């Protein structure tokens, strides 16, 4: 196990009707708030009205910025930065899922970036850590990205078609309100994409080359098995509070950096998916359900024992002593079956994506990077081969 520090001060307020406490939670930080959200679903399901009523009850002034889309755009971030400066905003409230939260975080950091500096090139394209940000609060409406308590953000540049991330403790939200009832109106396909995203966050951490991490292995395995059980149930019973609560809690814990302490996760599959998302604008979860199995098939020989452990502990595959590879491949197959059970694609052709941009995506993946991933350091050729495996 590696040495580590762990710090996550986000206050989690979990349960029914907790969005009614938004104003109380915002008040210590803000005089004027940017209310940031997406395409309007929060107005249809009543979340918007409850949050606004709570802000007004505490006499908190706010300005709205709507229109965040999946794979949040850098152009929206720039618009938000300008609005925050114009309106003298001192707090950003993100009401939505991961895209809204990531957009809010990028705005919060960009607010303090010197205008003479190219924000995108200096931070997103180099991975330079963020050092200062406006305070952020979250009302979560979709469990998936885990951004509600994480220290990172991912944004797509709609001009250059790069999708990149930055990190920094300053981006950890001050609070995250998680009411599983607010997930009831999610379309089933979005439920599936969200669960795939959560599962991928767990697997990115699980596939490590660091030894003696059995405790966090067990935590990750328990989280994966919980999701395997409850994700299909959420599709059958979308308005069951207890089912949605289990998924929401796993989604938060999966990405708040607790489960990767003492270990080094991979993140190559996420990087591969980011290039897909940047060009084809597909949902993050559906891209991961395709790229992760392809990555697994390509890299398992780097540490067969870990893949055997994954197959046996997570999927209950029997160990084939005479042929361990059979155990490994069955574990990968069961992962694909799980995604298919959720109605998700496991091959690129299912989304009508051919090999036209495979080489381009592989090359963009390595711009300003020596390699991608940690379980196996991926080169341009490795990335290209994985895209081919996913075809």
């Amino acid at each position: 196990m590696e040495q580590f520090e762990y710090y996550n001060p986000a206050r989690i307020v979990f349960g029914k009707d907790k969005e009614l406490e938004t104003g109380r939670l915002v008040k210590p930080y803000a005089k004027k708030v940017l209310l940031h959200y997406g395409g309007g679903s929060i107005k249809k399901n009543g979340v918007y009205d409850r949050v606004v009523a709570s802000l007004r009850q505490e006499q908190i002034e706010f300005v709205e910025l709507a229109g965040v889309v999946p794979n949040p755009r850098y152009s929206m971030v720039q618009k938000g930065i300008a609005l925050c400066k114009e309106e003298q905003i001192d707090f950003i409230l993100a009401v939505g899922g991961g895209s809204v939260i990531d957009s809010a975080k990028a705005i919060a950091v960009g607010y303090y970036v010197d205008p003479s500096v190219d924000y995108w090139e200096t931070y997103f394209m180099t991975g330079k850590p963020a050092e200062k940000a406006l305070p952020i609060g979250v009302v979560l409406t979709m469990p998936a990205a885990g951004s509600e308590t994480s220290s990172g953000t991912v944004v797509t540049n709609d001009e250059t078609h790069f999708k990149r991330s930055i990190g920094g403790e300053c981006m950890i939200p001050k609070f995250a309100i998680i009411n599983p009832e607010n997930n009831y109106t999610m379309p089933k396909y979005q439920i599936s994409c969200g669960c795939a995203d959560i599962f991928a966050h767990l697997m990115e951490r699980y596939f490590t080359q660091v030894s003696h991490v059995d405790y966090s292995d067990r935590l990750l395995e328990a989280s994966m098995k919980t999701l395997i059980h409850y994700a299909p149930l959420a599709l059958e019973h979308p308005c069951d509070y207890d089912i949605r609560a289990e998924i929401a809690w796993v989604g938060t814990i999966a990405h708040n950096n607790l489960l990767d302490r003492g270990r080094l996760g991979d993140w190559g599959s996420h990087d591969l998916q980011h290039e897909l998302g940047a060009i084809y604008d597909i949902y993050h979860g559906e891209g991961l359900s395709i790229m992760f199995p392809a990555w697994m098939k390509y890299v398992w020989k780097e540490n067969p024992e870990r893949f055997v452990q994954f197959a046996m502990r997570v999927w209950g595959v029997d160990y084939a002593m005479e042929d361990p590879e059979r155990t490994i491949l069955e574990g990968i197959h069961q992962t694909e079956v799980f995604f298919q059970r959720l109605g998700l694609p496991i091959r690129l052709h299912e989304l009508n994506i051919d090999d036209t941009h495979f080489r381009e995506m592989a090359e963009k993946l390595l711009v300003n990077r020596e390699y991608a991933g940690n379980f196996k350091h991926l080169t341009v050729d490795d990335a290209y081969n994985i895209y081919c495996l996913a075809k």
Side-chain angles (χ1 to χ4, degrees), residues 179-206:
N179 176 3
E181 292 177 313
N182 293 334
N183 309 153
Y184 291 174
T185 57
M186 287 171 57
K188 287 188 176 182
Y189 194 72
Q190 285 195 349
I191 294 173
S192 295
C193 286
C195 289
D197 196 0
I198 296 168
F199 200 74
H201 288 160
L202 297 167
M203 289 196 293
E204 293 284 21
R205 292 169 165 87
Y206 191 78

PDB file of all heavy atoms in Angstrom, residues 179-206:
ATOM      1  N   ASN A 179     -31.114  13.771  -2.655  1.00  0.00           N
ATOM      2  CA  ASN A 179     -32.452  13.238  -2.399  1.00  0.00           C
ATOM      3  C   ASN A 179     -32.770  12.230  -3.491  1.00  0.00           C
ATOM      4  O   ASN A 179     -33.049  12.613  -4.622  1.00  0.00           O
ATOM      5  CB  ASN A 179     -33.491  14.360  -2.379  1.00  0.00           C
ATOM      6  CG  ASN A 179     -34.908  13.841  -2.202  1.00  0.00           C
ATOM      7  OD1 ASN A 179     -35.123  12.643  -2.039  1.00  0.00           O
ATOM      8  ND2 ASN A 179     -35.879  14.735  -2.226  1.00  0.00           N
ATOM      9  N   PRO A 180     -32.735  10.927  -3.185  1.00  0.00           N
ATOM     10  CA  PRO A 180     -32.991   9.915  -4.218  1.00  0.00           C
ATOM     11  C   PRO A 180     -34.342  10.076  -4.907  1.00  0.00           C
ATOM     12  O   PRO A 180     -34.505   9.624  -6.052  1.00  0.00           O
ATOM     13  CB  PRO A 180     -32.923   8.600  -3.434  1.00  0.00           C
ATOM     14  CG  PRO A 180     -32.001   8.897  -2.284  1.00  0.00           C
ATOM     15  CD  PRO A 180     -32.323  10.315  -1.901  1.00  0.00           C
ATOM     16  N   GLU A 181     -35.298  10.726  -4.274  1.00  0.00           N
ATOM     17  CA  GLU A 181     -36.595  10.958  -4.916  1.00  0.00           C
ATOM     18  C   GLU A 181     -36.444  11.788  -6.196  1.00  0.00           C
ATOM     19  O   GLU A 181     -37.260  11.657  -7.120  1.00  0.00           O
ATOM     20  CB  GLU A 181     -37.537  11.686  -3.955  1.00  0.00           C
ATOM     21  CG  GLU A 181     -37.978  10.855  -2.760  1.00  0.00           C
ATOM     22  CD  GLU A 181     -38.846  11.660  -1.816  1.00  0.00           C
ATOM     23  OE1 GLU A 181     -38.462  12.800  -1.489  1.00  0.00           O
ATOM     24  OE2 GLU A 181     -39.896  11.144  -1.409  1.00  0.00           O
ATOM     25  N   ASN A 182     -35.424  12.633  -6.233  1.00  0.00           N
ATOM     26  CA  ASN A 182     -35.226  13.492  -7.399  1.00  0.00           C
ATOM     27  C   ASN A 182     -34.693  12.728  -8.607  1.00  0.00           C
ATOM     28  O   ASN A 182     -34.530  13.304  -9.688  1.00  0.00           O
ATOM     29  CB  ASN A 182     -34.289  14.651  -7.055  1.00  0.00           C
ATOM     30  CG  ASN A 182     -34.917  15.608  -6.054  1.00  0.00           C
ATOM     31  OD1 ASN A 182     -36.138  15.716  -5.974  1.00  0.00           O
ATOM     32  ND2 ASN A 182     -34.083  16.290  -5.281  1.00  0.00           N
ATOM     33  N   ASN A 183     -34.402  11.432  -8.415  1.00  0.00           N
ATOM     34  CA  ASN A 183     -33.926  10.594  -9.525  1.00  0.00           C
ATOM     35  C   ASN A 183     -35.069   9.847 -10.205  1.00  0.00           C
ATOM     36  O   ASN A 183     -34.860   9.187 -11.227  1.00  0.00           O
ATOM     37  CB  ASN A 183     -32.906   9.563  -9.022  1.00  0.00           C
ATOM     38  CG  ASN A 183     -31.785  10.145  -8.206  1.00  0.00           C
ATOM     39  OD1 ASN A 183     -31.218   9.453  -7.366  1.00  0.00           O
ATOM     40  ND2 ASN A 183     -31.460  11.416  -8.400  1.00  0.00           N
ATOM     41  N   TYR A 184     -36.275   9.923  -9.654  1.00  0.00           N
ATOM     42  CA  TYR A 184     -37.377   9.105 -10.154  1.00  0.00           C
ATOM     43  C   TYR A 184     -37.721   9.380 -11.617  1.00  0.00           C
ATOM     44  O   TYR A 184     -38.160   8.486 -12.332  1.00  0.00           O
ATOM     45  CB  TYR A 184     -38.643   9.336  -9.319  1.00  0.00           C
ATOM     46  CG  TYR A 184     -38.604   8.820  -7.900  1.00  0.00           C
ATOM     47  CD1 TYR A 184     -39.652   9.093  -7.018  1.00  0.00           C
ATOM     48  CD2 TYR A 184     -37.541   8.060  -7.416  1.00  0.00           C
ATOM     49  CE1 TYR A 184     -39.644   8.630  -5.715  1.00  0.00           C
ATOM     50  CE2 TYR A 184     -37.511   7.610  -6.107  1.00  0.00           C
ATOM     51  CZ  TYR A 184     -38.572   7.887  -5.252  1.00  0.00           C
ATOM     52  OH  TYR A 184     -38.564   7.435  -3.959  1.00  0.00           O
ATOM     53  N   THR A 185     -37.572  10.614 -12.049  1.00  0.00           N
ATOM     54  CA  THR A 185     -38.005  10.984 -13.402  1.00  0.00           C
ATOM     55  C   THR A 185     -36.917  10.778 -14.458  1.00  0.00           C
ATOM     56  O   THR A 185     -37.134  11.097 -15.631  1.00  0.00           O
ATOM     57  CB  THR A 185     -38.466  12.456 -13.434  1.00  0.00           C
ATOM     58  OG1 THR A 185     -37.397  13.297 -12.964  1.00  0.00           O
ATOM     59  CG2 THR A 185     -39.688  12.658 -12.540  1.00  0.00           C
ATOM     60  N   MET A 186     -35.770  10.248 -14.059  1.00  0.00           N
ATOM     61  CA  MET A 186     -34.711   9.980 -15.028  1.00  0.00           C
ATOM     62  C   MET A 186     -35.180   8.944 -16.050  1.00  0.00           C
ATOM     63  O   MET A 186     -35.740   7.908 -15.678  1.00  0.00           O
ATOM     64  CB  MET A 186     -33.457   9.443 -14.326  1.00  0.00           C
ATOM     65  CG  MET A 186     -32.666  10.454 -13.538  1.00  0.00           C
ATOM     66  SD  MET A 186     -31.372   9.637 -12.544  1.00  0.00           S
ATOM     67  CE  MET A 186     -30.452   8.765 -13.823  1.00  0.00           C
ATOM     68  N   PRO A 187     -34.966   9.172 -17.337  1.00  0.00           N
ATOM     69  CA  PRO A 187     -35.241   8.130 -18.334  1.00  0.00           C
ATOM     70  C   PRO A 187     -34.416   6.878 -18.031  1.00  0.00           C
ATOM     71  O   PRO A 187     -33.305   6.966 -17.502  1.00  0.00           O
ATOM     72  CB  PRO A 187     -34.797   8.772 -19.651  1.00  0.00           C
ATOM     73  CG  PRO A 187     -34.838  10.242 -19.394  1.00  0.00           C
ATOM     74  CD  PRO A 187     -34.477  10.413 -17.959  1.00  0.00           C
ATOM     75  N   LYS A 188     -34.958   5.718 -18.383  1.00  0.00           N
ATOM     76  CA  LYS A 188     -34.280   4.463 -18.048  1.00  0.00           C
ATOM     77  C   LYS A 188     -32.876   4.382 -18.644  1.00  0.00           C
ATOM     78  O   LYS A 188     -31.954   3.841 -18.020  1.00  0.00           O
ATOM     79  CB  LYS A 188     -35.130   3.275 -18.494  1.00  0.00           C
ATOM     80  CG  LYS A 188     -36.363   3.054 -17.622  1.00  0.00           C
ATOM     81  CD  LYS A 188     -37.066   1.753 -17.972  1.00  0.00           C
ATOM     82  CE  LYS A 188     -38.234   1.507 -17.019  1.00  0.00           C
ATOM     83  NZ  LYS A 188     -38.915   0.220 -17.299  1.00  0.00           N
ATOM     84  N   TYR A 189     -32.709   4.893 -19.850  1.00  0.00           N
ATOM     85  CA  TYR A 189     -31.384   4.812 -20.463  1.00  0.00           C
ATOM     86  C   TYR A 189     -30.367   5.655 -19.690  1.00  0.00           C
ATOM     87  O   TYR A 189     -29.206   5.276 -19.567  1.00  0.00           O
ATOM     88  CB  TYR A 189     -31.437   5.254 -21.921  1.00  0.00           C
ATOM     89  CG  TYR A 189     -30.195   4.884 -22.699  1.00  0.00           C
ATOM     90  CD1 TYR A 189     -29.943   3.561 -23.035  1.00  0.00           C
ATOM     91  CD2 TYR A 189     -29.268   5.849 -23.087  1.00  0.00           C
ATOM     92  CE1 TYR A 189     -28.792   3.201 -23.739  1.00  0.00           C
ATOM     93  CE2 TYR A 189     -28.130   5.504 -23.795  1.00  0.00           C
ATOM     94  CZ  TYR A 189     -27.896   4.169 -24.123  1.00  0.00           C
ATOM     95  OH  TYR A 189     -26.750   3.819 -24.810  1.00  0.00           O
ATOM     96  N   GLN A 190     -30.811   6.784 -19.153  1.00  0.00           N
ATOM     97  CA  GLN A 190     -29.912   7.602 -18.337  1.00  0.00           C
ATOM     98  C   GLN A 190     -29.590   6.909 -17.019  1.00  0.00           C
ATOM     99  O   GLN A 190     -28.473   7.049 -16.507  1.00  0.00           O
ATOM    100  CB  GLN A 190     -30.517   8.978 -18.093  1.00  0.00           C
ATOM    101  CG  GLN A 190     -30.450   9.893 -19.298  1.00  0.00           C
ATOM    102  CD  GLN A 190     -30.722  11.337 -18.953  1.00  0.00           C
ATOM    103  OE1 GLN A 190     -31.153  11.677 -17.853  1.00  0.00           O
ATOM    104  NE2 GLN A 190     -30.483  12.218 -19.912  1.00  0.00           N
ATOM    105  N   ILE A 191     -30.554   6.186 -16.466  1.00  0.00           N
ATOM    106  CA  ILE A 191     -30.265   5.388 -15.266  1.00  0.00           C
ATOM    107  C   ILE A 191     -29.136   4.409 -15.578  1.00  0.00           C
ATOM    108  O   ILE A 191     -28.168   4.266 -14.819  1.00  0.00           O
ATOM    109  CB  ILE A 191     -31.516   4.620 -14.800  1.00  0.00           C
ATOM    110  CG1 ILE A 191     -32.613   5.574 -14.330  1.00  0.00           C
ATOM    111  CG2 ILE A 191     -31.152   3.645 -13.672  1.00  0.00           C
ATOM    112  CD1 ILE A 191     -33.932   4.887 -14.005  1.00  0.00           C
ATOM    113  N   SER A 192     -29.269   3.719 -16.713  1.00  0.00           N
ATOM    114  CA  SER A 192     -28.255   2.739 -17.108  1.00  0.00           C
ATOM    115  C   SER A 192     -26.896   3.395 -17.327  1.00  0.00           C
ATOM    116  O   SER A 192     -25.868   2.884 -16.860  1.00  0.00           O
ATOM    117  CB  SER A 192     -28.698   2.027 -18.385  1.00  0.00           C
ATOM    118  OG  SER A 192     -29.861   1.262 -18.155  1.00  0.00           O
ATOM    119  N   CYS A 193     -26.875   4.511 -18.039  1.00  0.00           N
ATOM    120  CA  CYS A 193     -25.606   5.218 -18.279  1.00  0.00           C
ATOM    121  C   CYS A 193     -24.980   5.665 -16.965  1.00  0.00           C
ATOM    122  O   CYS A 193     -23.757   5.582 -16.784  1.00  0.00           O
ATOM    123  CB  CYS A 193     -25.842   6.414 -19.194  1.00  0.00           C
ATOM    124  SG  CYS A 193     -26.135   5.984 -20.923  1.00  0.00           S
ATOM    125  N   GLY A 194     -25.797   6.144 -16.053  1.00  0.00           N
ATOM    126  CA  GLY A 194     -25.289   6.567 -14.761  1.00  0.00           C
ATOM    127  C   GLY A 194     -24.670   5.416 -13.993  1.00  0.00           C
ATOM    128  O   GLY A 194     -23.592   5.549 -13.396  1.00  0.00           O
ATOM    129  N   CYS A 195     -25.335   4.260 -14.012  1.00  0.00           N
ATOM    130  CA  CYS A 195     -24.801   3.092 -13.300  1.00  0.00           C
ATOM    131  C   CYS A 195     -23.508   2.600 -13.947  1.00  0.00           C
ATOM    132  O   CYS A 195     -22.588   2.153 -13.244  1.00  0.00           O
ATOM    133  CB  CYS A 195     -25.850   1.988 -13.273  1.00  0.00           C
ATOM    134  SG  CYS A 195     -27.250   2.351 -12.170  1.00  0.00           S
ATOM    135  N   ALA A 196     -23.415   2.678 -15.275  1.00  0.00           N
ATOM    136  CA  ALA A 196     -22.174   2.295 -15.949  1.00  0.00           C
ATOM    137  C   ALA A 196     -21.030   3.224 -15.559  1.00  0.00           C
ATOM    138  O   ALA A 196     -19.884   2.779 -15.374  1.00  0.00           O
ATOM    139  CB  ALA A 196     -22.379   2.317 -17.463  1.00  0.00           C
ATOM    140  N   ASP A 197     -21.325   4.493 -15.423  1.00  0.00           N
ATOM    141  CA  ASP A 197     -20.319   5.471 -15.001  1.00  0.00           C
ATOM    142  C   ASP A 197     -19.818   5.138 -13.597  1.00  0.00           C
ATOM    143  O   ASP A 197     -18.609   5.114 -13.331  1.00  0.00           O
ATOM    144  CB  ASP A 197     -20.930   6.879 -15.040  1.00  0.00           C
ATOM    145  CG  ASP A 197     -19.887   7.984 -14.988  1.00  0.00           C
ATOM    146  OD1 ASP A 197     -18.681   7.680 -14.915  1.00  0.00           O
ATOM    147  OD2 ASP A 197     -20.282   9.162 -15.040  1.00  0.00           O
ATOM    148  N   ILE A 198     -20.749   4.856 -12.692  1.00  0.00           N
ATOM    149  CA  ILE A 198     -20.377   4.498 -11.321  1.00  0.00           C
ATOM    150  C   ILE A 198     -19.521   3.232 -11.318  1.00  0.00           C
ATOM    151  O   ILE A 198     -18.481   3.159 -10.641  1.00  0.00           O
ATOM    152  CB  ILE A 198     -21.631   4.299 -10.456  1.00  0.00           C
ATOM    153  CG1 ILE A 198     -22.412   5.608 -10.319  1.00  0.00           C
ATOM    154  CG2 ILE A 198     -21.252   3.778  -9.067  1.00  0.00           C
ATOM    155  CD1 ILE A 198     -23.806   5.442  -9.729  1.00  0.00           C
ATOM    156  N   PHE A 199     -19.965   2.226 -12.062  1.00  0.00           N
ATOM    157  CA  PHE A 199     -19.236   0.956 -12.107  1.00  0.00           C
ATOM    158  C   PHE A 199     -17.827   1.166 -12.653  1.00  0.00           C
ATOM    159  O   PHE A 199     -16.854   0.575 -12.154  1.00  0.00           O
ATOM    160  CB  PHE A 199     -20.005  -0.042 -12.971  1.00  0.00           C
ATOM    161  CG  PHE A 199     -19.642  -1.475 -12.713  1.00  0.00           C
ATOM    162  CD1 PHE A 199     -20.081  -2.112 -11.564  1.00  0.00           C
ATOM    163  CD2 PHE A 199     -18.872  -2.194 -13.621  1.00  0.00           C
ATOM    164  CE1 PHE A 199     -19.755  -3.445 -11.318  1.00  0.00           C
ATOM    165  CE2 PHE A 199     -18.545  -3.526 -13.378  1.00  0.00           C
ATOM    166  CZ  PHE A 199     -18.989  -4.155 -12.231  1.00  0.00           C
ATOM    167  N   ALA A 200     -17.708   2.024 -13.659  1.00  0.00           N
ATOM    168  CA  ALA A 200     -16.392   2.313 -14.230  1.00  0.00           C
ATOM    169  C   ALA A 200     -15.492   3.023 -13.224  1.00  0.00           C
ATOM    170  O   ALA A 200     -14.287   2.756 -13.167  1.00  0.00           O
ATOM    171  CB  ALA A 200     -16.541   3.150 -15.497  1.00  0.00           C
ATOM    172  N   HIS A 201     -16.051   3.930 -12.421  1.00  0.00           N
ATOM    173  CA  HIS A 201     -15.250   4.592 -11.393  1.00  0.00           C
ATOM    174  C   HIS A 201     -14.679   3.582 -10.408  1.00  0.00           C
ATOM    175  O   HIS A 201     -13.540   3.722  -9.942  1.00  0.00           O
ATOM    176  CB  HIS A 201     -16.101   5.618 -10.639  1.00  0.00           C
ATOM    177  CG  HIS A 201     -16.415   6.839 -11.432  1.00  0.00           C
ATOM    178  ND1 HIS A 201     -17.453   7.683 -11.124  1.00  0.00           N
ATOM    179  CD2 HIS A 201     -15.816   7.370 -12.531  1.00  0.00           C
ATOM    180  CE1 HIS A 201     -17.490   8.666 -11.995  1.00  0.00           C
ATOM    181  NE2 HIS A 201     -16.499   8.501 -12.856  1.00  0.00           N
ATOM    182  N   LEU A 202     -15.463   2.575 -10.088  1.00  0.00           N
ATOM    183  CA  LEU A 202     -14.990   1.533  -9.179  1.00  0.00           C
ATOM    184  C   LEU A 202     -13.912   0.681  -9.836  1.00  0.00           C
ATOM    185  O   LEU A 202     -12.887   0.366  -9.216  1.00  0.00           O
ATOM    186  CB  LEU A 202     -16.169   0.672  -8.735  1.00  0.00           C
ATOM    187  CG  LEU A 202     -17.253   1.408  -7.932  1.00  0.00           C
ATOM    188  CD1 LEU A 202     -18.518   0.569  -7.822  1.00  0.00           C
ATOM    189  CD2 LEU A 202     -16.749   1.791  -6.547  1.00  0.00           C
ATOM    190  N   MET A 203     -14.125   0.315 -11.097  1.00  0.00           N
ATOM    191  CA  MET A 203     -13.137  -0.521 -11.787  1.00  0.00           C
ATOM    192  C   MET A 203     -11.840   0.226 -12.053  1.00  0.00           C
ATOM    193  O   MET A 203     -10.759  -0.372 -12.006  1.00  0.00           O
ATOM    194  CB  MET A 203     -13.727  -1.056 -13.094  1.00  0.00           C
ATOM    195  CG  MET A 203     -14.806  -2.102 -12.903  1.00  0.00           C
ATOM    196  SD  MET A 203     -15.162  -3.060 -14.419  1.00  0.00           S
ATOM    197  CE  MET A 203     -15.878  -1.783 -15.457  1.00  0.00           C
ATOM    198  N   GLU A 204     -11.914   1.522 -12.348  1.00  0.00           N
ATOM    199  CA  GLU A 204     -10.685   2.289 -12.570  1.00  0.00           C
ATOM    200  C   GLU A 204      -9.786   2.215 -11.340  1.00  0.00           C
ATOM    201  O   GLU A 204      -8.551   2.162 -11.459  1.00  0.00           O
ATOM    202  CB  GLU A 204     -11.008   3.756 -12.879  1.00  0.00           C
ATOM    203  CG  GLU A 204     -11.725   4.001 -14.198  1.00  0.00           C
ATOM    204  CD  GLU A 204     -10.826   3.898 -15.423  1.00  0.00           C
ATOM    205  OE1 GLU A 204      -9.757   3.258 -15.339  1.00  0.00           O
ATOM    206  OE2 GLU A 204     -11.204   4.451 -16.474  1.00  0.00           O
ATOM    207  N   ARG A 205     -10.388   2.220 -10.180  1.00  0.00           N
ATOM    208  CA  ARG A 205      -9.624   2.151  -8.935  1.00  0.00           C
ATOM    209  C   ARG A 205      -9.191   0.717  -8.621  1.00  0.00           C
ATOM    210  O   ARG A 205      -8.123   0.494  -8.041  1.00  0.00           O
ATOM    211  CB  ARG A 205     -10.459   2.720  -7.790  1.00  0.00           C
ATOM    212  CG  ARG A 205     -10.691   4.217  -7.912  1.00  0.00           C
ATOM    213  CD  ARG A 205     -11.747   4.740  -6.932  1.00  0.00           C
ATOM    214  NE  ARG A 205     -11.683   6.190  -6.846  1.00  0.00           N
ATOM    215  CZ  ARG A 205     -12.325   7.039  -7.648  1.00  0.00           C
ATOM    216  NH1 ARG A 205     -13.103   6.571  -8.604  1.00  0.00           N
ATOM    217  NH2 ARG A 205     -12.198   8.346  -7.497  1.00  0.00           N
ATOM    218  N   TYR A 206     -10.024  -0.220  -9.003  1.00  0.00           N
ATOM    219  CA  TYR A 206      -9.760  -1.619  -8.663  1.00  0.00           C
ATOM    220  C   TYR A 206      -8.543  -2.168  -9.402  1.00  0.00           C
ATOM    221  O   TYR A 206      -7.734  -2.905  -8.833  1.00  0.00           O
ATOM    222  CB  TYR A 206     -10.991  -2.460  -9.001  1.00  0.00           C
ATOM    223  CG  TYR A 206     -10.931  -3.865  -8.457  1.00  0.00           C
ATOM    224  CD1 TYR A 206     -11.200  -4.118  -7.105  1.00  0.00           C
ATOM    225  CD2 TYR A 206     -10.604  -4.947  -9.277  1.00  0.00           C
ATOM    226  CE1 TYR A 206     -11.148  -5.405  -6.597  1.00  0.00           C
ATOM    227  CE2 TYR A 206     -10.555  -6.233  -8.775  1.00  0.00           C
ATOM    228  CZ  TYR A 206     -10.824  -6.460  -7.434  1.00  0.00           C
ATOM    229  OH  TYR A 206     -10.764  -7.735  -6.918  1.00  0.00           O
TER     230      TYR A 206
END
